[in-house]
Amino acid sequence: MTPLPFSGRLFTTVRQHTIVQQLSVLLLCLFLSVLSACDRKEPVHHSRFLGFGTIIEITIYGTDHERAQQAIDDIENDIAIMHRTWHPREKNALRRMNNLFQTTEWFSAAPSVRPLILKSIKLSQTSQHLFNPAIGKLIELWGFSQDERPVNEPPSEQKISALVRKQPRMSDIKLKGITMRSTNPDLKLDFGAIAKGYAIDKNIERLRKLNINNAIINAGGDLRAIGKHGERPWVIGIRDPRNEGVFASLKIQEDESVFTSGDYERYFEYQGKRYHHIIDPRTGSPAEETLSVTVIHSDAATADAASTALFIAGKDYWHEIAKNMGIKYVMLIDSEGTVHINPAMRARIHFESEKPPTINLSEPL
Amino acid sequence: MSKMGKLLTTADKVLLSCTVLLLPFLYFSAWSQDLQADSVKIWSSSQGFQTFTLNQKQKILIDGAHGKSVFEIQNGKIRFVDSKCTNKICVRAGWLSHAGAFAACLPNNVSMEITGTTGYDSINF
């Protein structure tokens, strides 16, 4: 067997190896490894679809593309079902339950809605009822239960105050085994401030069961991230509430949800005034004095409810409510553009804008 | 030179020159990043993904779920001019030019994203 002239010279005459030769081989190896890295597909899988009336974006690291896409297709189906089940205007289990709550009689709760109710009762209590999914009638009056609100005048003060006076709260719901009832006939559930978070939590669980441990599920800007992007943590950009681009960024610590409630997400304008979708249950109208609230918390459902509650609480009360809800990281931007932030959040947030904002550092949470 | 000649065989010389020639490639593949924000990806539920350059002034009509969405591209920027929806939140997003900038008309199932590396894995808003 005649050895190839190349390999013969290169690898058999060991003693003649010079530094130049060794360096060449090293460089060639490096080059080949870069080439093979190019061949290998990026270990990040990205996918986007419509769900929950918004755009859902899923990022998965380190799982082969076929398996990742399979998981994402499952999530897409699952989210479509959840959306139908919890949508306030569909003919679904939630609507049947809302009709039964009006009777104030006992009935057996739909299993597809019950866990969301139980979670909401707890969160509503710790938020001192600022997170209040019982005000479905008010949300409907404002037109925000529809996917697209027609542009017309806001509801009259009279109609609003009539509903506010009824004071429906999650604590009006009484539980007995698998049955429940409402003591308030004007209670109507609208899960707009928690369903998305809850759905994200369920689907993160699903990914974990499939042994996918490095992923981000982002539903219309609110997200939960688990694991890492390879060797580095996931990096999240927080969009500027008023301008194009990112105004701050943060790194995810292993498993966290980042939720923002903003007055720019859903709104309509009537005669030059903006009416956004975050209704203060105490006034029955969109909460004023806040532009946006960003919270970081482990589970997405809690982060979802907390961002809404703290938005309504505003710059004077967010700290108290956050403490009560066990939220450790909060950034609130008030209508003046001042950033209210707790020290732990401040330590994690990197402001990207050229001109740093005015910061009002709070007591630790 | 004669000493060099003894030390290096023909194979070594070929290997050495190959390696030196390939160095620039190595440099570019390791250091250059895809930073350009010169194209936009537009998605619609009926037409899927389409890519357009931001360097050419143009008007783009996209079929959405309920009708047309109209885009305008000018000076490296893009905006929704009109769309089949009532609240026009997409139009209010205005001109976008940064890599990663994103806007959508959800009622009409049309979205757009300026391509390029942003440095973020996901955007919260």
Side-chain angles (χ1 to χ4, degrees), chain A residues 85-104:
Chain A
T85 311
W86 299 332
H87 195 290
R89 291 176 75 90
E90 293 262 355
K91 288 180 180 145
N92 54 14
L94 178 60
R95 179 188 279 206
R96 282 197 300 279
M97 289 187 64
N98 274 332
N99 289 338
L100 288 163
F101 279 132
Q102 288 186 35
T103 68
T104 68

Side-chain angles (χ1 to χ4, degrees), chain A residues 336-350:
Chain A
E336 311 284 301
T338 301
V339 174
H340 302 261
I341 192 166
N342 69 302
M345 183 69 150
R346 178 69 194 90
R348 291 186 63 181
I349 286 272
H350 174 72

Side-chain angles (χ1 to χ4, degrees), chain A residues 171-365:
Chain A
S171 52
D172 295 333
I173 297 177
K174 307 297 167 203
L175 307 165
K176 196 164 70 184
I178 60 158
T179 64
M180 50 178 78
R181 70 181 278 253
S182 167
T183 53
N184 186 335
D186 289 292
L187 175 134
K188 183 171 187 178
L189 297 178
D190 182 314
F191 291 121
I194 187 172
K196 217 166 64 170
Y198 190 81
I200 290 178
D201 285 337
K202 287 288 145 200
N203 281 297
I204 286 287
E205 266 173 44
R206 171 192 290 265
L207 288 179
R208 282 237 162 91
K209 273 183 201 143
L210 294 169
N211 204 24
I212 296 174
N213 296 308
N214 301 291
I216 304 176
I217 301 182
N218 183 329
D222 294 316
L223 61 95
R224 179 162 169 183
I226 54 170
K228 287 174 151 197
H229 178 290
E231 293 299 307
R232 63 163 178 84
W234 293 113
V235 181
I236 308 300
I238 302 170
R239 192 177 287 167
D240 193 307
R242 282 293 180 263
N243 302 301
E244 185 194 356
V246 163
F247 111 115
S249 65
L250 61 91
K251 294 186 174 87
I252 294 291
Q253 296 170 355
E254 207 52 43
D255 175 3
E256 286 178 320
S257 303
V258 184
F259 271 64
T260 292
S261 284
D263 68 351
Y264 51 87
E265 292 172 310
R266 290 187 65 199
Y267 62 86
F268 66 95
E269 269 174 20
Y270 186 75
Q271 294 183 342
K273 190 169 159 42
R274 178 188 286 213
Y275 298 91
H276 65 78
H277 72 296
I278 305 168
I279 304 296
D280 184 338
R282 299 166 302 183
T283 64
S285 293
E288 284 169 2
E289 72 171 43
T290 309
L291 289 193
S292 71
V293 173
T294 303
V295 305
I296 309 176
H297 192 73
S298 51
D299 75 284
T302 303
D304 200 353
S307 66
T308 301
L310 301 182
F311 185 102
I312 295 166
K315 61 179 193 292
D316 296 329
Y317 298 106
W318 67 269
H319 195 267
E320 185 188 326
I321 304 294
K323 228 173 182 167
N324 227 15
M325 295 186 84
I327 306 293
K328 298 288 176 219
Y329 303 98
V330 182
M331 174 171 71
L332 179 148
I333 304 176
D334 69 20
S335 47
E336 311 284 301
T338 301
V339 174
H340 302 261
I341 192 166
N342 69 302
M345 183 69 150
R346 178 69 194 90
R348 291 186 63 181
I349 286 272
H350 174 72
F351 291 105
E352 306 277 339
S353 51
E354 287 157 28
K355 206 180 96 204
T358 314
I359 291 172
N360 189 350
L361 201 64
S362 76
E363 293 291 310
L365 275 172

Side-chain angles (χ1 to χ4, degrees), chain B residues 16-73:
Chain B
L16 189 63
S17 42
C18 276
T19 311
V20 169
L21 282 172
L22 292 170
L23 263 177
F25 176 83
L26 196 67
Y27 175 82
F28 280 110
S29 67
W31 298 107
S32 72
Q33 264 191 326
D34 183 24
L35 282 170
Q36 91 281 15
D38 60 1
S39 63
V40 61
K41 251 182 11 194
I42 298 180
W43 176 85
S44 85
S45 55
S46 51
Q47 285 180 276
F49 280 107
Q50 285 171 278
T51 305
F52 301 90
T53 173
L54 287 176
N55 297 324
Q56 198 184 336
K57 189 176 167 173
Q58 56 184 319
K59 217 166 206 163
I60 300 164
L61 295 174
I62 300 286
D63 286 319
H66 303 294
K68 299 265 186 227
S69 289
V70 187
F71 293 91
E72 184 183 2
I73 293 179

